[in-house]
Amino acid sequence: TDAELGVVPEKQAVGSFEQVVSKVRPFCVEFTCFSDGIPVSQGSGCVLDGGIILTNAHVISDLNKTPRAPFDMIFVNFDEKFDSGKYLVEAMIVDFDEDIALCAFAGGEPRLPAGAPQLNPEADIVPGKEVFTVGNGLGRGLGVSRGVISRDVERNAYGHREVIRTDMSVNPGNSGGALINSFGQVIGINSAKYIDVSSEGLGFAISINSAKP
């Protein structure tokens, strides 16, 4: 439900850009997925209220299998500044059509601070609005990318109900990372699978509205 996922309306900004980033970073994770003991996929994600981890379905799933299914073992880790552990997680809900997945910690759980990022499906998607993401671009560790929304929300695009375009470079490994607005709220989920090698300053995120039933 909306309450379980921490869905909230827009509100006053929580501080400067640096302060918003500092509140979100402890909840951002890198994914490493294994098949037959071999690492086969990397990506990003964000821990929401209740320890639910939001990411892309294609990050945690073997799309070459029939039927499609999550990888054998899925691990997440945080920025070492906040937590040096590696945590086993399991897929709870996987929506292959919308490329969205929710995972839960399967063993030990991290000690997270209060104030996990909340979803805002009602956020204004307006060109020029500032956004950022924290992701594991090219598998080089969690880093912050900053940009703006490039155009009005695109509906029924790329197989999704709603897609948000930004001017941020979204590289392999950034997939699954949360798109965050200036209020520190999750408004989308980044996906690198629409980007080719010639793209520059072009990012796509699946709108949180696409994650709602």
Side-chain angles (χ1 to χ4, degrees), residues 41-44 55-63 68 94-101 138 157-164 168-177 189-199 202-207:
S41 178
Q42 288 186 311
S44 306
T55 189
N56 285 136
H58 79 262
V59 167
I60 66 161
S61 303
D62 188 345
L63 303 183
R68 295 172 293 184
V94 182
D95 184 337
F96 292 107
D97 292 332
E98 289 294 345
D99 195 22
I100 292 169
L138 301 179
Y158 307 100
H160 303 288
R161 278 182 278 175
E162 292 188 358
V163 172
I164 302 168
M168 294 189 301
S169 295
V170 177
N171 297 294
N174 283 125
S175 283
I189 309 164
N190 294 307
S191 181
K193 70 178 186 175
Y194 309 113
I195 307 300
D196 62 36
V197 294
S198 64
S199 301
L202 182 65
F204 290 94
I206 301 162
S207 167

Side-chain angles (χ1 to χ4, degrees), residues 19-90:
Q19 289 171 321
V20 176
V21 170
S22 69
K23 286 180 65 70
V24 171
R25 281 184 63 208
F27 299 93
C28 298
V29 297
E30 304 172 20
F31 273 88
T32 306
C33 305
F34 293 80
S35 180
D36 296 326
I38 300 171
V40 290
S41 178
Q42 288 186 311
S44 306
C46 183
V47 182
L48 307 175
D49 281 339
I52 297 171
I53 311 165
L54 180 67
T55 189
N56 285 136
H58 79 262
V59 167
I60 66 161
S61 303
D62 188 345
L63 303 183
N64 294 317
K65 279 188 176 180
T66 304
R68 295 172 293 184
F71 288 113
D72 300 337
M73 300 190 74
I74 307 169
F75 291 91
V76 299
N77 60 276
F78 297 81
D79 189 307
E80 290 187 354
K81 176 180 178 180
F82 308 109
D83 189 322
S84 60
K86 180 175 285 190
Y87 298 91
L88 179 68
V89 303
E90 59 185 0

Side-chain angles (χ1 to χ4, degrees), residues 10 17 23 26 29 47 49 60 64 72 81 102 115 127 139-140 142 147 152 155 166 169 174 178 185 188 192 200 209:
E10 283 192 351
F17 175 77
K23 286 180 65 70
V29 297
V47 182
D49 281 339
I60 66 161
N64 294 317
D72 300 337
K81 176 180 178 180
L102 297 176
R140 301 300 298 271
L142 291 167
D152 295 327
R155 304 184 193 283
T166 74
S169 295
N174 283 125
Q185 300 165 338
E200 185 174 345
N209 273 327

Side-chain angles (χ1 to χ4, degrees), residues 1-14 20 23-28 45-54 102 113-125 132 177-189 206-209 211-212:
T1 65
D2 286 358
E4 289 172 334
L5 289 176
V7 175
V8 294
E10 283 192 351
K11 56 184 179 180
Q12 290 186 334
V14 295
V20 176
K23 286 180 65 70
V24 171
R25 281 184 63 208
F27 299 93
C28 298
C46 183
V47 182
L48 307 175
D49 281 339
I52 297 171
I53 311 165
L54 180 67
L102 297 176
Q118 298 178 314
L119 307 183
N120 185 1
E122 306 301 327
D124 290 331
I125 307 303
F132 73 93
L179 183 68
I180 309 289
N181 65 11
S182 59
F183 302 98
Q185 300 165 338
V186 180
I187 63 171
I189 309 164
I206 301 162
S207 167
I208 284 300
N209 273 327
K212 297 188 71 179

